[in-house]
């Protein structure tokens, strides 16, 4: 649970004041949905799964402004 508080997007949530000044894990209930995601991923064909994972990786990669 405390590992979540170290994620950059969760830290930004707190820093921007969106979270109302409290820890994310104190305000929201965390749930492990990895099993449900795995069930979904195993139903995808290999090409679709690769496209999905590539898209997620690109969207979650750190961006820099030059």
């Amino acid at each position: 649970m405390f590992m979540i508080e170290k994620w950059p997007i969760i830290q930004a949530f707190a820093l921007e004041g969106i979270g109302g000044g409290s820890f994310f894990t104190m305000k929201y209930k965390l749930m492990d949905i990895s099993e449900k995601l795995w069930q979904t991923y195993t139903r995808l064909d290999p090409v679709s799964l690769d496209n999905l994972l590539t898209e997620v990786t690109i969207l979650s990669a750190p961006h820099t402004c030059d």
Side-chain angles (χ1 to χ4, degrees), residues 33-44 49:
I33 61 166
S34 58
E35 182 64 32
K36 290 185 185 229
L37 285 173
W38 183 249
Q39 290 171 4
T40 301
Y41 294 157
T42 57
R43 283 187 253 144
L44 293 171
L49 179 59

Side-chain angles (χ1 to χ4, degrees), residues 5-63:
E5 297 289 347
K6 294 182 180 181
W7 292 1
I9 194 164
I10 300 300
Q11 291 176 347
F13 182 84
L15 289 175
E16 293 296 321
I18 300 168
S22 65
F23 288 103
F24 186 86
T25 52
M26 290 175 65
K27 190 169 183 173
Y28 298 99
K29 179 182 175 187
L30 302 180
M31 297 171 34
D32 183 359
I33 61 166
S34 58
E35 182 64 32
K36 290 185 185 229
L37 285 173
W38 183 249
Q39 290 171 4
T40 301
Y41 294 157
T42 57
R43 283 187 253 144
L44 293 171
D45 63 278
V47 174
S48 295
L49 179 59
D50 184 58
N51 289 341
L52 175 64
L53 294 175
T54 300
E55 185 176 322
V56 168
T57 303
I58 290 170
L59 292 174
S60 64
H63 300 283

